[in-house]
């Protein structure tokens, strides 16, 4: 069944979009990531203009984060205060990111920026995850009973503007969370991702938050950052396609449930290795496209 | 015989439209195309007849060429080059008004029926129609190449059927990634390498219904559209979480 997308102005098979949403949903259910980093390149691949793909992904992320955060609220694993601090940074970051996006769009370099961001971030994160999960598997095989976890106090935590984050059990400066928020907000606006895959490691390793509140808090703030990004893209670029978002959503929520079931049957370390491999595969594909001479040197449009 | 030759010469010399011995009468299966939610391209049937007030002239057979041109648009074309080891856009050029869609169909090979001079005069083939003044410039050639690759510029020779030198018909497929606007359709009657009559009409392509509504909203009431997009996302996220909670119970 073909559907004509009113904003993207292309006709796409509705089942292809449902399937894409579904696949990404399965992965996000399995690995606990938003999946924005996968859906945006996949949309490029089916012929959605990059600007529409980026803006519409942001809209879709709002829906999947709302769905996810509700479950975390019930389990009381959201640090609202930390969420708001991150959010303050996130909104500033989104606004800056949209400015950068529009500037580069006018210069014709938006594809390059998006692709470079993907290659760099997917590369770093995929690589770190792969190493970490291989180590975890080796440890598990070696001797049971890991080392006791110690709360690390980094120099960044001693900056001024100290705040108490009760749910996270932290008393640290508000500057690092704001900085993390700005970074993730910028990336979200440029890459069309929620930034969960950067936010989660940053919260654990940089802010020292306990793992159990990390995902809920990250989802909570992503709703607003992605929402703000959607609004700005809709307002300044007119590139949010609600038809497209809707189809991806339906596939996404069904896929997420299936993915959660699959995820429960697999070992956590194995899951992380597969996610790392997937992230690296996307990264390599995009990287090669930049390095290999293109078949056609010219391109039309924005 | 002499009078006939004179008549032919006369027709050749005359400006198009005046003193025609053979006239084209044509119709389209539809003059309006609506882009609905399930729009997937459209096929238009173009048919017509040659009206004469004297017997069919002898000699060279009659030929028909039909062109359809989409709305014109100013386009930015960019060139990639290698910088710091990676391929990036290095040069942008704004190219004047070119049709977003252009198709030429004919009864026979264009090389046999359309001399270059006639082609230039009537701007029939893509080469003569699309920025002929910029011929040879890499950006113009790239634009034509890219549009041809997307099947937006096409030349289909021999697909117009002409029977009894009088009735002709063809069908033209408009692609699914179509641009809204007026599609100018021209029909040319040719004999001896000259256009003896032409006919022009416009096909209107427009988004309708929810497509029109959403598009207008996105551009004219961008803030409301954005809020609506968020509301849909929020509601859907909440709905999904509730639905699966109930399902799991």
């Amino acid at each position: 069944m073909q559907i004509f997308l009113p904003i993207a102005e292309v006709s796409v098979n509705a089942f292809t979009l449902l399937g894409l949403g579904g696949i990404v949903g399965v992965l996000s259910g399995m690995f606990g990531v938003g999946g924005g980093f996968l859906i945006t390149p996949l949309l490029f691949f089916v012929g959605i203009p990059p600007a529409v793909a980026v803006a519409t992904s942001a809209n879709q992320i709002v829906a999947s984060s709302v769905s996810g955060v509700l479950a975390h609220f019930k389990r009381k694993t959201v640090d609202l205060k930390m969420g708001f601090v991150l959010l303050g940074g996130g909104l500033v970051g989104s606004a800056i990111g949209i400015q950068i996006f529009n500037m580069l769009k006018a210069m014709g370099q938006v594809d390059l920026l998006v692709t470079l961001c993907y290659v760099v971030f997917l590369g770093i994160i995929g690589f770190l995850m792969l190493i970490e999960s291989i180590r975890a598997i080796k440890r598990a095989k070696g001797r049971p009973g890991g080392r006791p976890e110690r709360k690390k106090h980094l120099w960044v935590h001693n900056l001024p503007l100290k705040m108490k984050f009760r749910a996270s059990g932290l008393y640290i400066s508000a500057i690092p969370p704001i900085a993390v928020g700005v970074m993730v907000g910028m990336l979200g606006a440029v890459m069309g991702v929620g930034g969960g895959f950067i936010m989660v490691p940053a919260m654990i390793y940089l802010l020292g938050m306990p793992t159990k509140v990390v995902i809920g808090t990250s989802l909570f703030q992503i709703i607003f950052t992605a929402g703000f990004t959607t609004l700005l893209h809709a307002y300044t670029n007119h590139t949010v396609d609600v038809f497209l978002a809707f189809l991806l959503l339906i596939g996404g929520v069904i896929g997420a449930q299936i993915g959660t079931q699959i995820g429960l049957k697999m070992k956590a370390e194995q899951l992380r290795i597969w996610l790392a491999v997937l992230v690296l595969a996307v990264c390599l594909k995009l990287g090669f496209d930049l390095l290999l001479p293109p078949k056609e040197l010219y391109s039309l449009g924005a | 015989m002499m009078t006939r030759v004179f008549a032919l010469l006369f027709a050749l010399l005359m400006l198009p439209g005046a003193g025609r011995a053979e006239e084209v009468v044509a119709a389209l299966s539809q003059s309006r195309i609506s882009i609905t939610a399930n729009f997937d391209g459209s096929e238009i049937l173009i048919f017509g007849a040659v009206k004469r007030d004297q017997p069919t002239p002898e000699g060279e057979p009659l030929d028909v060429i039909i062109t359809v041109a989409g709305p014109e648009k100013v386009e930015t074309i960019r060139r990639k080059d290698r910088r710091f080891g990676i391929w990036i856009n290095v040069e942008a050029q704004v190219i004047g008004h070119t049709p977003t869609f252009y198709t030429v169909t004919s009864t026979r090979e264009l090389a046999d029926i359309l001399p270059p001079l006639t082609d230039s005069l009537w701007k029939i083939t893509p080469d003569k129609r699309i920025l002929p003044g910029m011929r040879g410039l890499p950006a113009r050639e790239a634009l034509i190449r890219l549009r041809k690759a997307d099947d937006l510029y096409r030349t289909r020779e021999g697909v117009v059927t002409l029977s009894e030198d009088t009735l002709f018909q063809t069908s033209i497929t408009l692609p699914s990634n179509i641009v809204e606007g007026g599609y100018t359709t021209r029909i040319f009657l040719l004999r001896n390498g000259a256009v003896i009559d032409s006919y022009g009409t416009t096909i209107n392509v427009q988004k309708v219904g929810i497509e029109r509504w959403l598009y207008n909203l996105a551009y004219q009431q961008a803030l409301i559209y954005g809020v609506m997009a968020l509301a849909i996302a929020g509601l859907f996220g909440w709905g999904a979480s509730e639905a699966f909670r109930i399902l799991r119970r």
Side-chain angles (χ1 to χ4, degrees):
Chain A
M1 192 178 71
Q2 293 285 324
I3 284 266
F4 190 87
L5 304 170
I7 305 298
E9 299 193 296
V10 286
S11 171
V12 187
N13 191 311
F15 296 112
T16 308
L17 293 179
L18 284 175
L20 276 187
I23 292 169
V24 173
V26 167
L27 294 171
S28 84
M30 273 170 76
F31 303 123
V33 293
F37 73 94
L38 284 172
I39 211 150
T40 316
L42 284 173
L43 288 178
F44 296 171
F45 189 70
V46 296
I48 309 289
V52 176
V54 167
T56 308
S57 301
N59 192 23
Q60 194 244 353
I61 288 162
V62 174
S64 52
S65 312
V66 166
S67 175
V69 86
L70 288 172
H72 283 278
F73 265 126
K74 290 204 183 80
R75 273 182 262 153
K76 297 205 167 54
T77 47
V78 183
D79 185 339
L80 275 179
K81 195 170 177 189
M82 177 63 89
F84 280 115
V85 171
L86 286 168
L87 182 57
L91 295 185
V92 174
S94 289
I96 299 171
I98 295 268
Q99 292 304 316
I100 297 174
F101 187 84
N102 287 346
M103 211 172 69
L104 285 151
K105 196 176 153 194
M107 284 165 60
Q109 302 295 7
V110 82
D111 295 6
L112 175 72
L113 177 74
V114 173
T115 315
L116 273 181
C117 279
Y118 271 105
V119 171
V120 170
F121 285 100
L122 294 182
I124 294 172
I125 287 167
F127 188 68
L128 291 178
M129 247 166 42
L130 192 65
I131 291 185
E132 192 269 338
S133 46
I134 289 173
R135 261 193 210 143
I137 285 185
K138 272 189 187 154
R139 252 206 319 274
K141 272 185 189 155
R143 53 203 140 79
R147 58 210 161 124
E149 216 164 280
R150 239 181 315 135
K151 202 159 263 177
K152 274 177 253 158
H153 221 71
L154 300 168
W155 63 271
V156 283
H157 297 154
N158 297 322
L159 291 168
L161 244 113
K162 282 210 166 197
M163 282 175 97
K164 226 183 206 108
F165 299 101
R166 194 160 297 140
S168 305
L170 288 174
Y171 180 61
I172 57 165
S173 159
I175 292 171
I178 289 176
V180 168
V182 171
M183 259 276 288
V184 173
M186 266 171 61
L187 287 171
V190 171
M191 297 166 70
V193 296
F197 71 103
I198 296 164
M199 180 72 103
V200 169
M203 285 162 107
I204 297 173
Y205 299 112
L206 245 73
L207 306 180
M209 283 170 68
T211 313
K212 71 174 169 68
V213 296
V214 161
I215 291 175
T217 311
S218 152
L219 283 175
F220 171 77
Q221 87 89 33
I222 282 170
I223 294 174
F224 295 96
T225 323
F228 186 59
T229 304
T230 307
L231 213 57
L232 281 181
H233 273 300
Y235 189 63
T236 60
N237 299 333
H238 316 286
T239 42
V240 176
D241 197 309
V242 287
F243 263 31
L244 179 59
F246 189 69
L247 287 169
L248 292 175
L249 267 178
I250 298 178
V253 288
I254 297 168
Q257 296 301 319
I258 300 169
T260 314
Q261 297 307 311
I262 301 174
L264 290 174
K265 293 196 181 94
M266 282 174 82
K267 275 200 191 116
E269 293 84 16
Q270 282 176 336
L271 267 174
R272 268 180 298 172
I273 283 197
W274 284 114
L275 179 61
V277 169
L278 183 78
V279 165
L280 284 176
V282 176
C283 162
L284 284 178
K285 162 81 178 76
L286 292 171
F288 274 125
D289 287 349
L290 281 179
L291 291 174
L292 298 176
K295 280 197 199 85
E296 174 62 82
L297 289 178
Y298 287 87
S299 61
L300 284 175
Chain B
M1 184 63 199
M2 266 327 255
T3 49
R4 200 162 284 161
V5 171
F6 272 121
L8 209 77
L9 269 174
F10 191 66
L12 269 170
L13 290 169
M14 283 306 289
L15 282 169
R20 298 165 298 192
E22 292 179 302
E23 266 181 70
V24 52
V25 187
L28 273 59
S29 59
Q30 53 192 126
S31 63
R32 177 185 296 276
I33 291 174
S34 303
I35 301 183
T36 52
N38 55 8
F39 179 80
D40 183 26
S42 185
E43 197 168 277
I44 303 168
L45 195 66
I46 301 174
F47 50 93
V50 182
K51 196 170 101 182
R52 299 190 176 82
D53 45 15
Q54 39 189 266
T56 318
E58 296 285 318
E60 276 283 305
L62 189 72
D63 281 292
V64 180
I65 299 178
I66 299 172
T67 70
V68 177
E72 301 206 338
K73 197 171 142 197
V74 176
E75 209 41 279
T76 308
I77 187 156
R78 301 181 200 278
R79 189 173 62 84
K80 277 197 169 68
D81 204 353
R82 197 175 211 147
R83 291 282 188 280
F84 319 107
I86 56 170
W87 291 85
I88 63 173
N89 288 326
V90 289
E91 199 181 10
Q93 197 174 347
V94 177
I95 282 199
H97 299 270
T98 54
T100 45
F101 174 81
Y102 192 69
T103 181
V104 181
T105 57
S106 63
T107 43
R108 286 193 290 150
E109 298 242 340
L110 288 171
D112 297 339
I113 58 175
L114 188 67
L117 214 62
T118 315
D119 192 5
S120 305
L121 188 64
W122 293 90
K123 297 186 167 65
I124 293 174
T125 56
D127 189 47
K128 295 289 197 293
R129 173 68 182 78
I130 315 298
L131 304 167
M134 288 173 67
R135 185 171 302 124
L137 282 180
R140 181 242 188 203
E141 304 307 326
L143 176 107
I144 295 181
R145 190 169 63 237
L146 287 167
R147 292 249 167 91
K148 274 187 179 159
D150 286 343
D151 207 25
L152 290 171
Y153 287 177
R154 328 163 168 160
T155 308
R156 302 259 196 281
E157 292 162 317
V159 297
V160 179
T161 55
L162 177 69
S163 45
E164 308 282 316
D165 260 9
T166 307
L167 295 171
F168 64 86
Q169 73 153 49
T170 192
S171 67
I172 282 168
T173 317
L174 296 181
S176 61
N177 54 341
I178 203 170
V179 176
E180 275 189 291
Y183 283 66
T184 317
T185 308
R186 300 181 298 165
I187 302 170
F188 299 101
L189 278 191
L190 291 102
R191 206 186 270 284
N192 278 337
V195 172
I196 53 175
D197 191 28
S198 71
Y199 171 86
T201 182
T202 306
I203 306 164
N204 276 312
V205 176
Q206 241 193 346
K207 293 194 184 90
V208 294
I210 190 162
E211 301 277 332
R212 165 102 266 139
W213 185 76
L214 285 175
Y215 185 85
N216 283 348
L217 194 68
Y219 279 85
Q220 286 156 19
Q221 305 282 340
L223 205 58
I224 295 176
Y225 179 86
V227 171
M228 186 188 76
L230 285 184
I232 292 174
L235 265 177
F236 216 89
W238 173 78
S241 107
E242 286 299 298
F244 282 108
R245 204 169 52 91
I246 293 163
L247 268 179
R248 263 198 218 104
R249 240 190 262 150

